[in-house]
Coordinates of all heavy atoms in Angstrom, one line a residue:
M1 N 5.6 5.8 15.7 CA 4.6 6.0 14.5 C 3.4 5.1 14.7 O 3.4 4.2 15.6 CB 5.4 5.5 13.3 CG 6.3 6.6 12.7 SD 5.4 8.0 12.2 CE 6.6 9.3 12.5
S2 N 2.4 5.4 13.9 CA 1.1 4.7 14.1 C 1.0 3.4 13.5 O -0.1 2.8 13.6 CB 0.0 5.7 13.7 OG 0.2 5.9 12.4
S3 N 2.0 2.9 12.8 CA 1.9 1.6 12.1 C 1.7 0.5 13.0 O 2.4 0.5 14.0 CB 3.1 1.4 11.2 OG 3.3 2.4 10.3
N4 N 0.8 -0.4 12.7 CA 0.7 -1.6 13.5 C 0.2 -2.7 12.5 O -0.3 -2.4 11.5 CB -0.4 -1.5 14.6 CG -1.6 -0.7 14.2 OD1 -1.7 -0.3 13.0 ND2 -2.6 -0.6 15.0
V5 N 0.5 -3.9 12.9 CA 0.2 -5.0 12.1 C -1.4 -5.1 12.0 O -2.1 -5.3 13.0 CB 0.8 -6.3 12.5 CG1 0.4 -7.4 11.6 CG2 2.3 -6.1 12.5
A6 N -2.0 -5.0 10.9 CA -3.5 -4.9 10.8 C -4.0 -6.3 10.6 O -3.6 -7.1 9.9 CB -3.8 -4.0 9.5
Q7 N -5.2 -6.3 11.2 CA -6.1 -7.5 11.0 C -7.0 -7.1 9.8 O -8.2 -6.8 10.0 CB -7.0 -7.8 12.2 CG -6.2 -8.1 13.5 CD -5.4 -9.4 13.3 OE1 -5.9 -10.3 12.9 NE2 -4.1 -9.3 13.7
S8 N -6.5 -7.2 8.6 CA -7.2 -6.9 7.5 C -7.0 -8.0 6.4 O -6.1 -8.8 6.5 CB -6.9 -5.5 6.9 OG -5.5 -5.6 6.6
Y9 N -7.9 -8.1 5.4 CA -7.8 -9.2 4.5 C -7.8 -8.6 3.1 O -8.2 -7.5 2.8 CB -9.0 -10.1 4.7 CG -10.3 -9.5 4.7 CD1 -11.0 -9.5 3.5 CD2 -10.9 -9.0 5.8 CE1 -12.2 -8.9 3.4 CE2 -12.1 -8.3 5.8 CZ -12.9 -8.3 4.5 OH -14.1 -7.7 4.5
P10 N -7.2 -9.4 2.2 CA -7.2 -8.9 0.8 C -8.5 -8.7 0.2 O -9.5 -9.4 0.4 CB -6.5 -10.1 0.1 CG -5.8 -10.9 1.1 CD -6.7 -10.8 2.4
Y11 N -8.7 -7.6 -0.5 CA -9.9 -7.2 -1.1 C -9.9 -7.4 -2.6 O -10.8 -8.0 -3.2 CB -10.2 -5.7 -0.8 CG -11.4 -5.2 -1.4 CD1 -12.7 -5.5 -1.0 CD2 -11.3 -4.2 -2.4 CE1 -13.8 -5.0 -1.5 CE2 -12.4 -3.8 -3.0 CZ -13.6 -4.1 -2.6 OH -14.8 -3.6 -3.2
T12 N -8.8 -7.0 -3.2 CA -8.7 -7.2 -4.6 C -7.2 -6.9 -5.0 O -6.3 -6.9 -4.1 CB -9.6 -6.1 -5.4 OG1 -9.5 -6.2 -6.7 CG2 -9.1 -4.7 -5.1
T13 N -6.9 -6.8 -6.2 CA -5.5 -6.4 -6.7 C -5.7 -5.2 -7.6 O -6.7 -4.9 -8.0 CB -4.9 -7.6 -7.5 OG1 -5.6 -7.8 -8.6 CG2 -4.8 -8.8 -6.5
E14 N -4.5 -4.5 -7.7 CA -4.4 -3.4 -8.6 C -3.2 -3.6 -9.4 O -2.2 -4.2 -8.9 CB -4.6 -2.1 -7.9 CG -3.4 -1.8 -6.9 CD -3.7 -0.7 -6.0 OE1 -4.6 0.1 -6.3 OE2 -2.9 -0.4 -5.0
T15 N -3.1 -3.0 -10.6 CA -1.8 -3.0 -11.4 C -0.9 -2.1 -10.7 O -1.1 -1.2 -9.9 CB -2.0 -2.6 -12.8 OG1 -2.5 -1.3 -12.9 CG2 -3.2 -3.5 -13.5
E16 N 0.4 -2.3 -11.1 CA 1.5 -1.4 -10.6 C 1.3 0.0 -11.0 O 1.4 0.9 -10.1 CB 2.9 -1.9 -11.1 CG 4.0 -1.0 -10.9 CD 4.1 -0.7 -9.4 OE1 3.7 -1.5 -8.5 OE2 4.8 0.4 -9.1
S17 N 0.8 0.3 -12.2 CA 0.5 1.7 -12.5 C -0.7 2.3 -11.7 O -0.6 3.4 -11.3 CB 0.3 1.9 -14.0 OG -0.8 1.1 -14.5
E18 N -1.7 1.5 -11.4 CA -2.8 2.0 -10.6 C -2.3 2.2 -9.2 O -2.7 3.2 -8.6 CB -3.9 0.9 -10.5 CG -4.7 0.7 -11.9 CD -5.6 -0.5 -11.8 OE1 -5.3 -1.4 -11.0 OE2 -6.6 -0.5 -12.6
R19 N -1.4 1.3 -8.7 CA -0.9 1.5 -7.3 C -0.1 2.7 -7.2 O -0.2 3.5 -6.3 CB -0.1 0.3 -7.0 CG 0.4 0.2 -5.5 CD 1.6 -0.8 -5.4 NE 2.7 -0.2 -6.1 CZ 3.5 0.8 -5.7 NH1 3.2 1.3 -4.5 NH2 4.6 1.2 -6.4
A20 N 0.8 2.9 -8.1 CA 1.7 4.1 -8.1 C 0.9 5.5 -8.1 O 1.2 6.4 -7.4 CB 2.7 4.0 -9.3
L21 N -0.1 5.4 -9.0 CA -0.9 6.6 -9.1 C -1.7 6.9 -7.8 O -1.8 8.0 -7.4 CB -2.0 6.5 -10.3 CG -1.5 6.8 -11.7 CD1 -2.6 6.5 -12.7 CD2 -1.1 8.3 -11.8
K22 N -2.2 5.9 -7.3 CA -3.1 6.0 -6.0 C -2.1 6.5 -4.9 O -2.5 7.4 -4.1 CB -3.6 4.7 -5.6 CG -4.4 4.6 -4.3 CD -5.5 5.7 -4.3 CE -6.8 5.2 -4.7 NZ -7.9 6.1 -4.4
I23 N -0.9 5.9 -4.8 CA 0.0 6.4 -3.6 C 0.4 7.8 -3.9 O 0.5 8.6 -2.9 CB 1.2 5.4 -3.6 CG1 0.8 4.0 -3.2 CG2 2.3 5.9 -2.7 CD1 0.2 3.9 -1.8
E24 N 0.7 8.2 -5.2 CA 1.0 9.5 -5.5 C 0.0 10.5 -5.1 O 0.2 11.6 -4.4 CB 1.4 9.6 -6.9 CG 1.7 11.0 -7.4 CD 3.0 11.5 -6.8 OE1 3.8 10.7 -6.3 OE2 3.2 12.8 -6.7
A25 N -1.3 10.1 -5.3 CA -2.4 11.0 -4.9 C -2.6 11.1 -3.4 O -2.9 12.1 -2.9 CB -3.8 10.4 -5.6
L26 N -2.4 10.0 -2.8 CA -2.5 10.0 -1.3 C -1.4 10.8 -0.6 O -1.7 11.5 0.3 CB -2.5 8.5 -0.8 CG -3.7 7.6 -1.1 CD1 -3.5 6.2 -0.7 CD2 -4.9 8.2 -0.5
T27 N -0.2 10.8 -1.2 CA 0.8 11.6 -0.6 C 0.6 13.1 -0.8 O 1.0 13.9 0.0 CB 2.2 11.3 -1.2 OG1 2.2 11.5 -2.6 CG2 2.6 9.9 -0.9
L28 N -0.1 13.4 -1.8 CA -0.6 14.8 -2.0 C -1.8 15.2 -1.1 O -1.9 16.3 -0.7 CB -1.0 15.1 -3.5 CG 0.1 15.0 -4.5 CD1 -0.4 15.1 -5.9 CD2 1.2 15.9 -4.3
Q29 N -2.6 14.2 -0.8 CA -3.8 14.4 0.0 C -3.4 14.6 1.5 O -4.1 15.3 2.3 CB -4.8 13.3 -0.2 CG -6.1 13.5 0.5 CD -7.1 12.3 0.2 OE1 -6.8 11.5 -0.7 NE2 -8.2 12.3 0.8
F30 N -2.5 13.7 2.0 CA -2.2 13.7 3.5 C -0.9 14.2 3.7 O 0.2 13.7 3.3 CB -2.4 12.2 3.9 CG -3.8 11.6 3.8 CD1 -4.1 10.7 2.8 CD2 -4.8 12.0 4.7 CE1 -5.4 10.2 2.6 CE2 -6.1 11.5 4.5 CZ -6.3 10.6 3.5
D31 N -0.8 15.2 4.6 CA 0.4 15.9 5.0 C 1.4 14.9 5.7 O 0.9 14.1 6.6 CB 0.1 17.0 6.0 CG -0.3 18.2 5.2 OD1 -0.1 18.3 4.1 OD2 -0.7 19.2 6.0
G32 N 2.6 14.9 5.2 CA 3.6 14.1 5.9 C 3.7 12.6 5.5 O 4.5 11.9 5.9
L33 N 2.7 12.3 4.7 CA 2.6 10.9 4.3 C 3.8 10.5 3.5 O 4.5 9.4 3.6 CB 1.3 10.6 3.6 CG 1.1 9.1 3.1 CD1 1.2 8.1 4.4 CD2 -0.2 9.0 2.4
R34 N 4.3 11.4 2.5 CA 5.4 11.0 1.7 C 6.6 10.8 2.5 O 7.4 9.8 2.3 CB 5.6 12.2 0.7 CG 6.7 11.8 -0.4 CD 7.0 13.0 -1.2 NE 5.8 13.5 -2.0 CZ 5.4 13.0 -3.1 NH1 6.0 12.1 -3.7 NH2 4.3 13.5 -3.7
D35 N 6.8 11.6 3.6 CA 8.0 11.5 4.5 C 8.0 10.2 5.2 O 8.9 9.5 5.5 CB 8.2 12.7 5.4 CG 8.5 13.9 4.7 OD1 9.0 13.8 3.5 OD2 8.3 15.0 5.3
R36 N 6.7 9.8 5.7 CA 6.6 8.6 6.5 C 6.9 7.4 5.6 O 7.5 6.4 6.1 CB 5.1 8.5 7.0 CG 5.1 7.8 8.3 CD 3.7 7.7 8.8 NE 2.7 8.8 8.5 CZ 1.4 8.7 8.4 NH1 0.9 7.7 8.6 NH2 0.7 9.8 8.1
I37 N 6.4 7.4 4.4 CA 6.7 6.3 3.5 C 8.1 6.1 3.3 O 8.6 5.0 3.3 CB 5.9 6.4 2.2 CG1 4.4 6.3 2.3 CG2 6.4 5.5 1.1 CD1 3.5 6.7 1.2
A38 N 8.8 7.3 3.0 CA 10.3 7.2 2.7 C 11.0 6.7 3.9 O 12.0 6.1 3.8 CB 10.8 8.7 2.3
A39 N 10.6 7.1 5.1 CA 11.3 6.7 6.3 C 11.1 5.3 6.7 O 12.0 4.7 7.3 CB 10.9 7.6 7.5
E40 N 9.9 4.8 6.4 CA 9.6 3.5 6.9 C 9.5 2.4 6.0 O 9.4 1.1 6.2 CB 8.2 3.5 7.7 CG 8.2 4.5 8.9 CD 7.0 4.3 9.7 OE1 6.4 3.2 9.7 OE2 6.6 5.3 10.3
S41 N 9.7 2.7 4.7 CA 9.6 1.6 3.7 C 10.6 1.7 2.6 O 11.1 2.8 2.3 CB 8.2 1.5 3.2 OG 7.9 2.7 2.3
E42 N 10.8 0.6 1.9 CA 11.6 0.6 0.7 C 10.6 0.5 -0.6 O 9.4 0.0 -0.4 CB 12.4 -0.8 0.6 CG 13.1 -1.1 1.9 CD 14.5 -0.6 1.8 OE1 15.0 -0.1 0.6 OE2 15.3 -0.6 2.7
P43 N 11.0 1.1 -1.6 CA 10.1 1.0 -2.8 C 9.7 -0.3 -3.2 O 10.4 -1.3 -3.0 CB 10.9 1.7 -3.9 CG 11.9 2.5 -3.2 CD 12.2 1.7 -2.0
V44 N 8.4 -0.5 -3.7 CA 7.9 -1.8 -4.2 C 8.8 -2.2 -5.4 O 9.1 -1.5 -6.2 CB 6.5 -1.7 -4.6 CG1 6.1 -2.9 -5.4 CG2 5.6 -1.4 -3.4
A45 N 9.1 -3.5 -5.4 CA 9.8 -4.1 -6.6 C 9.2 -5.4 -6.8 O 8.7 -6.1 -5.9 CB 11.3 -4.2 -6.3
Y46 N 9.2 -5.8 -8.1 CA 8.7 -7.1 -8.4 C 9.8 -8.1 -9.0 O 10.8 -7.6 -9.5 CB 7.6 -6.9 -9.6 CG 6.5 -6.1 -9.1 CD1 6.5 -4.7 -9.2 CD2 5.3 -6.7 -8.5 CE1 5.4 -3.9 -8.8 CE2 4.2 -6.0 -8.1 CZ 4.2 -4.6 -8.2 OH 3.2 -3.8 -7.8
D47 N 9.6 -9.3 -8.8 CA 10.6 -10.3 -9.3 C 10.7 -10.3 -10.8 O 11.8 -10.4 -11.4 CB 10.2 -11.7 -8.8 CG 10.4 -11.9 -7.3 OD1 11.1 -11.1 -6.8 OD2 9.7 -12.7 -6.8
D48 N 9.6 -10.1 -11.5 CA 9.5 -10.2 -13.0 C 9.3 -8.9 -13.6 O 8.4 -8.1 -13.0 CB 8.5 -11.2 -13.4 CG 8.8 -12.6 -12.8 OD1 9.9 -13.0 -13.0 OD2 7.8 -13.2 -12.4
P49 N 9.8 -8.5 -14.6 CA 9.5 -7.2 -15.4 C 8.2 -7.4 -16.0 O 7.6 -8.5 -16.2 CB 10.6 -7.1 -16.5 CG 11.0 -8.5 -16.7 CD 10.9 -9.3 -15.3
E50 N 7.4 -6.2 -16.1 CA 6.1 -6.2 -16.7 C 6.2 -6.6 -18.2 O 7.1 -6.3 -18.9 CB 5.5 -4.8 -16.6 CG 5.2 -4.4 -15.2 CD 4.0 -3.4 -15.1 OE1 3.6 -2.9 -16.2 OE2 3.4 -3.4 -14.1
E51 N 5.2 -7.4 -18.6 CA 5.2 -7.8 -20.0 C 3.9 -7.1 -20.5 O 2.9 -6.9 -19.8 CB 5.0 -9.3 -20.2 CG 6.4 -10.0 -19.8 CD 6.2 -11.4 -19.9 OE1 5.3 -11.9 -20.7 OE2 6.9 -12.2 -19.1
P52 N 3.8 -6.8 -21.9 CA 2.6 -6.2 -22.4 C 1.4 -7.1 -22.2 O 1.5 -8.3 -22.4 CB 3.0 -6.2 -24.0 CG 4.5 -6.1 -24.0 CD 5.0 -6.9 -22.8
G53 N 0.4 -6.5 -21.7 CA -0.8 -7.2 -21.4 C -0.8 -8.0 -20.1 O -1.8 -8.7 -19.8
R54 N 0.3 -8.0 -19.5 CA 0.4 -8.8 -18.2 C 1.1 -7.9 -17.1 O 2.3 -8.2 -16.7 CB 1.2 -10.0 -18.4 CG 0.3 -11.3 -18.7 CD 1.1 -12.6 -18.6 NE 2.0 -12.5 -17.5 CZ 3.1 -13.4 -17.4 NH1 3.3 -14.2 -18.3 NH2 3.9 -13.4 -16.4
P55 N 0.5 -6.9 -16.7 CA 1.1 -5.9 -15.7 C 1.3 -6.6 -14.4 O 0.6 -7.6 -14.0 CB 0.2 -4.8 -15.6 CG -1.2 -5.4 -16.0 CD -0.9 -6.4 -17.0
N56 N 2.3 -6.3 -13.6 CA 2.4 -6.8 -12.3 C 1.3 -6.2 -11.4 O 0.8 -5.1 -11.7 CB 3.8 -6.2 -11.7 CG 4.9 -7.0 -12.2 OD1 4.9 -8.2 -12.3 ND2 6.1 -6.3 -12.5
R57 N 0.8 -7.0 -10.5 CA -0.3 -6.6 -9.6 C 0.0 -6.7 -8.2 O 0.9 -7.6 -7.8 CB -1.5 -7.5 -9.9 CG -1.9 -7.5 -11.4 CD -3.2 -8.2 -11.6 NE -4.4 -7.4 -11.1 CZ -5.0 -6.6 -12.0 NH1 -4.6 -6.3 -13.2 NH2 -6.0 -5.9 -11.5
M58 N -0.6 -5.9 -7.4 CA -0.3 -5.8 -5.9 C -1.7 -5.9 -5.2 O -2.7 -5.5 -5.7 CB 0.4 -4.5 -5.6 CG 0.8 -4.4 -4.2 SD 1.9 -5.7 -3.5 CE 3.5 -5.2 -4.1
W59 N -1.6 -6.5 -4.0 CA -2.8 -6.7 -3.2 C -3.4 -5.3 -2.8 O -2.6 -4.4 -2.5 CB -2.6 -7.5 -2.0 CG -2.4 -8.9 -2.3 CD1 -1.2 -9.6 -2.1 CD2 -3.3 -9.8 -2.7 NE1 -1.4 -10.9 -2.5 CE2 -2.7 -11.1 -2.9 CE3 -4.8 -9.8 -3.0 CZ2 -3.4 -12.3 -3.2 CZ3 -5.4 -10.9 -3.4 CH2 -4.8 -12.1 -3.5
V60 N -4.7 -5.2 -2.7 CA -5.4 -4.1 -2.0 C -6.1 -4.7 -0.8 O -6.7 -5.8 -1.0 CB -6.4 -3.4 -2.9 CG1 -7.1 -2.3 -2.1 CG2 -5.6 -2.8 -4.1
F61 N -6.0 -4.1 0.4 CA -6.6 -4.7 1.6 C -7.8 -3.9 2.1 O -7.9 -2.6 1.7 CB -5.6 -4.9 2.7 CG -4.4 -5.7 2.3 CD1 -3.3 -5.1 1.8 CD2 -4.5 -7.1 2.4 CE1 -2.2 -5.8 1.5 CE2 -3.4 -7.8 2.0 CZ -2.2 -7.2 1.6
V62 N -8.6 -4.5 2.8 CA -9.7 -3.7 3.5 C -9.2 -3.0 4.8 O -8.5 -3.7 5.5 CB -10.9 -4.6 3.8 CG1 -12.0 -3.8 4.6 CG2 -11.5 -5.2 2.6
C63 N -9.5 -1.7 4.9 CA -9.0 -1.0 6.1 C -9.7 -1.6 7.3 O -11.0 -1.7 7.3 CB -9.3 0.5 6.0 SG -8.7 1.3 7.5
P64 N -9.0 -2.0 8.5 CA -9.7 -2.5 9.6 C -10.5 -1.3 10.4 O -11.3 -1.7 11.3 CB -8.6 -3.0 10.5 CG -7.4 -2.3 10.0 CD -7.6 -2.0 8.6
K65 N -10.2 -0.1 10.1 CA -10.8 1.0 10.8 C -12.0 1.6 10.0 O -12.9 2.1 10.6 CB -9.7 2.0 11.1 CG -10.0 3.0 12.2 CD -8.7 3.7 12.6 CE -8.8 5.2 12.6 NZ -7.5 5.9 12.7
H66 N -11.8 1.8 8.8 CA -12.8 2.5 7.9 C -13.5 1.4 7.0 O -12.8 0.7 6.2 CB -12.1 3.5 7.0 CG -11.4 4.6 7.8 ND1 -10.1 4.5 7.9 CD2 -11.8 5.7 8.4 CE1 -9.7 5.6 8.7 NE2 -10.8 6.3 9.0
V67 N -14.8 1.3 7.1 CA -15.5 0.3 6.4 C -15.3 0.4 4.9 O -15.1 -0.6 4.2 CB -17.1 0.5 6.6 CG1 -17.8 -0.4 5.7 CG2 -17.4 0.2 8.1
S68 N -15.2 1.7 4.4 CA -15.1 1.8 2.9 C -13.6 2.1 2.5 O -13.3 2.3 1.4 CB -16.0 2.9 2.4 OG -15.6 4.1 3.0
G69 N -12.7 2.1 3.5 CA -11.3 2.4 3.2 C -10.6 1.2 2.7 O -10.9 0.1 3.0
R70 N -9.6 1.4 1.8 CA -8.8 0.4 1.2 C -7.3 0.7 1.4 O -7.0 1.8 1.3 CB -9.1 0.2 -0.3 CG -10.6 -0.1 -0.7 CD -10.9 -1.5 -0.3 NE -12.3 -1.8 -0.5 CZ -13.2 -1.8 0.4 NH1 -12.8 -1.6 1.7 NH2 -14.5 -2.0 0.2
L71 N -6.6 -0.4 1.7 CA -5.2 -0.2 2.0 C -4.4 -0.5 0.8 O -4.5 -1.5 0.2 CB -4.7 -1.1 3.1 CG -5.5 -1.1 4.4 CD1 -4.9 -2.0 5.4 CD2 -5.5 0.3 5.0
H72 N -3.7 0.6 0.3 CA -2.8 0.4 -0.9 C -1.3 0.3 -0.5 O -0.9 1.0 0.4 CB -3.0 1.6 -1.8 CG -4.4 1.8 -2.3 ND1 -4.9 1.2 -3.4 CD2 -5.5 2.4 -1.7 CE1 -6.2 1.5 -3.5 NE2 -6.6 2.2 -2.5
V73 N -0.6 -0.7 -1.0 CA 0.8 -0.8 -0.7 C 1.7 0.3 -1.2 O 1.7 0.6 -2.4 CB 1.2 -2.1 -1.2 CG1 2.8 -2.4 -0.9 CG2 0.4 -3.3 -0.6
A74 N 2.3 0.8 -0.2 CA 3.2 2.0 -0.5 C 4.7 1.5 -0.7 O 5.6 2.2 -1.2 CB 3.2 3.1 0.5
G75 N 5.0 0.3 -0.1 CA 6.4 -0.2 -0.1 C 6.6 -1.4 0.7 O 5.5 -1.9 1.3
Y76 N 7.8 -1.8 0.9 CA 8.1 -2.9 2.0 C 8.6 -2.3 3.2 O 9.5 -1.4 3.1 CB 9.1 -3.8 1.3 CG 8.7 -4.5 0.0 CD1 9.3 -4.2 -1.2 CD2 7.7 -5.4 0.0 CE1 9.0 -4.9 -2.4 CE2 7.3 -6.0 -1.1 CZ 7.9 -5.7 -2.3 OH 7.5 -6.3 -3.5
A77 N 8.0 -2.7 4.3 CA 8.5 -2.2 5.6 C 10.0 -2.4 5.8 O 10.5 -3.6 5.5 CB 7.7 -2.8 6.7
R78 N 10.7 -1.5 6.2 CA 12.2 -1.6 6.5 C 12.4 -2.5 7.7 O 13.3 -3.3 7.6 CB 12.8 -0.2 6.8 CG 12.9 0.7 5.6 CD 13.7 2.0 6.0 NE 13.5 3.0 5.0 CZ 14.2 3.0 3.9 NH1 15.0 2.0 3.6 NH2 14.1 4.0 3.0
E79 N 11.7 -2.4 8.7 CA 12.0 -3.1 9.9 C 11.5 -4.6 10.0 O 12.1 -5.4 10.6 CB 11.4 -2.4 11.1 CG 11.6 -0.9 11.2 CD 12.8 -0.5 12.0 OE1 12.8 -1.1 13.2 OE2 13.7 0.2 11.6
R80 N 10.5 -4.9 9.2 CA 9.9 -6.2 9.3 C 9.6 -6.7 7.9 O 9.6 -6.0 7.0 CB 8.5 -6.1 10.1 CG 8.8 -5.8 11.5 CD 7.5 -6.0 12.2 NE 7.1 -4.9 13.0 CZ 6.0 -4.8 13.7 NH1 5.2 -5.9 13.8 NH2 5.6 -3.8 14.4
H81 N 9.4 -8.0 7.9 CA 9.1 -8.6 6.6 C 7.6 -8.4 6.4 O 6.8 -9.3 6.7 CB 9.5 -10.1 6.6 CG 9.3 -10.8 5.3 ND1 10.2 -10.5 4.3 CD2 8.4 -11.6 4.8 CE1 9.8 -11.2 3.2 NE2 8.7 -11.9 3.5
A82 N 7.2 -7.3 5.9 CA 5.8 -6.9 5.8 C 5.6 -5.9 4.7 O 6.6 -5.2 4.3 CB 5.3 -6.4 7.1
L83 N 4.4 -5.8 4.3 CA 4.1 -4.7 3.3 C 3.7 -3.5 4.1 O 3.0 -3.6 5.2 CB 2.9 -5.2 2.4 CG 3.1 -6.3 1.5 CD1 1.8 -6.7 0.9 CD2 4.1 -5.9 0.4
F84 N 4.1 -2.3 3.6 CA 3.7 -1.0 4.3 C 2.6 -0.4 3.5 O 2.8 -0.1 2.3 CB 5.0 -0.1 4.2 CG 4.8 1.2 5.0 CD1 4.9 1.2 6.4 CD2 4.6 2.4 4.4 CE1 4.8 2.3 7.2 CE2 4.4 3.5 5.1 CZ 4.5 3.5 6.4
A85 N 1.4 -0.4 4.0 CA 0.2 0.0 3.3 C -0.5 1.2 3.9 O -0.4 1.6 5.1 CB -0.8 -1.1 3.3
V86 N -1.1 2.0 3.1 CA -1.7 3.3 3.4 C -3.2 3.2 3.1 O -3.7 2.8 2.1 CB -1.2 4.4 2.5 CG1 -1.8 5.7 2.9 CG2 0.3 4.5 2.6
C87 N -4.0 3.7 4.1 CA -5.5 3.8 4.0 C -5.8 4.9 3.1 O -5.4 6.0 3.2 CB -6.1 3.9 5.3 SG -8.0 4.1 5.1
D88 N -6.7 4.7 2.1 CA -7.1 5.8 1.1 C -8.2 6.6 1.7 O -8.7 7.6 1.1 CB -7.4 5.3 -0.2 CG -8.6 4.3 -0.3 OD1 -9.3 4.2 0.8 OD2 -8.8 3.6 -1.3
E89 N -8.7 6.3 2.9 CA -9.7 7.1 3.5 C -9.2 8.0 4.6 O -9.4 9.2 4.7 CB -10.8 6.3 4.1 CG -12.1 7.1 4.4 CD -13.3 6.3 4.6 OE1 -13.5 5.4 3.7 OE2 -14.1 6.5 5.5
G90 N -8.4 7.4 5.5 CA -7.8 8.2 6.7 C -6.4 8.6 6.5 O -5.9 9.4 7.3
G91 N -5.7 7.9 5.6 CA -4.3 8.2 5.4 C -3.3 7.6 6.4 O -2.2 7.8 6.5
E92 N -3.9 6.8 7.4 CA -3.1 6.1 8.4 C -2.4 4.9 7.7 O -2.8 4.5 6.5 CB -3.9 5.6 9.6 CG -4.8 4.4 9.3 CD -6.1 4.6 8.7 OE1 -6.3 5.7 8.0 OE2 -7.0 3.7 8.8
T93 N -1.3 4.4 8.3 CA -0.5 3.4 7.6 C -0.6 2.0 8.5 O -0.8 2.1 9.7 CB 1.0 3.8 7.5 OG1 1.5 4.1 8.8 CG2 1.0 5.1 6.6
Y94 N -0.3 1.0 7.8 CA -0.4 -0.3 8.4 C 0.8 -1.2 7.9 O 1.2 -1.0 6.8 CB -1.6 -1.1 8.2 CG -2.9 -0.4 8.7 CD1 -3.6 0.5 7.9 CD2 -3.3 -0.7 9.9 CE1 -4.7 1.2 8.4 CE2 -4.5 0.0 10.4 CZ -5.1 0.9 9.7 OH -6.3 1.6 10.2
L95 N 1.2 -2.1 8.7 CA 2.1 -3.2 8.2 C 1.1 -4.4 7.9 O 0.3 -4.8 8.8 CB 3.1 -3.6 9.2 CG 4.1 -2.5 9.6 CD1 5.1 -3.0 10.6 CD2 4.8 -1.9 8.3
R96 N 1.4 -5.0 6.8 CA 0.6 -6.2 6.5 C 1.4 -7.3 6.2 O 2.4 -7.2 5.5 CB -0.2 -5.8 5.1 CG -1.7 -5.5 5.2 CD -2.5 -6.2 6.3 NE -3.3 -7.3 5.8 CZ -3.1 -8.6 5.5 NH1 -1.8 -8.9 5.6 NH2 -4.0 -9.4 5.2
Ligands
ZN1 ZN1 -8.5 3.6 7.3

């Protein structure tokens, strides 16, 4: 698979609902992405439940390949202690 540990840095954060919507949209946009995420990562989980007005947030990273691409976390990598992230421009995946 094309996943590699990316030299990318945090750009911003997004709420859990923003993240879930973005990943859902990306899996519809890029063929095979849903299968790749399922095969290579565990679903995102948070230590604390969401509270009203205080949603859980996840990092968004800058894509090392696409200037305007952002990496959204799709899950936790199965093989390594890393985040499994998807570029919203090219659909490629990274371990962070
Ligand atoms: Zn990219």
Side-chain angles (χ1 to χ4, degrees):
M1 281 298 149
S2 59
S3 300
N4 46 356
V5 176
Q7 299 297 315
S8 55
Y9 55 92
Y11 175 72
T12 184
T13 63
E14 61 190 350
T15 66
E16 172 55 23
S17 54
E18 289 169 337
R19 187 200 66 79
L21 277 175
K22 175 57 93 171
I23 293 299
E24 179 63 23
L26 291 174
T27 59
L28 296 175
Q29 184 179 351
F30 295 104
D31 277 351
L33 182 58
R34 190 185 300 275
D35 290 343
R36 211 185 323 157
I37 290 170
E40 296 191 31
S41 71
E42 310 268 354
V44 168
Y46 296 88
D47 290 338
D48 299 314
E50 293 211 341
E51 290 175 28
R54 266 191 38 200
N56 284 317
R57 302 188 75 88
M58 184 56 84
W59 289 110
V60 175
F61 303 95
V62 177
C63 180
K65 198 163 129 191
H66 303 99
V67 173
S68 59
R70 298 290 173 259
L71 308 182
H72 301 270
V73 174
Y76 298 116
R78 288 188 192 281
E79 310 263 313
R80 294 192 232 183
H81 189 71
L83 295 171
F84 188 79
V86 180
C87 175
D88 62 11
E89 192 160 319
E92 78 277 17
T93 61
Y94 297 91
L95 299 181
R96 254 324 252 88

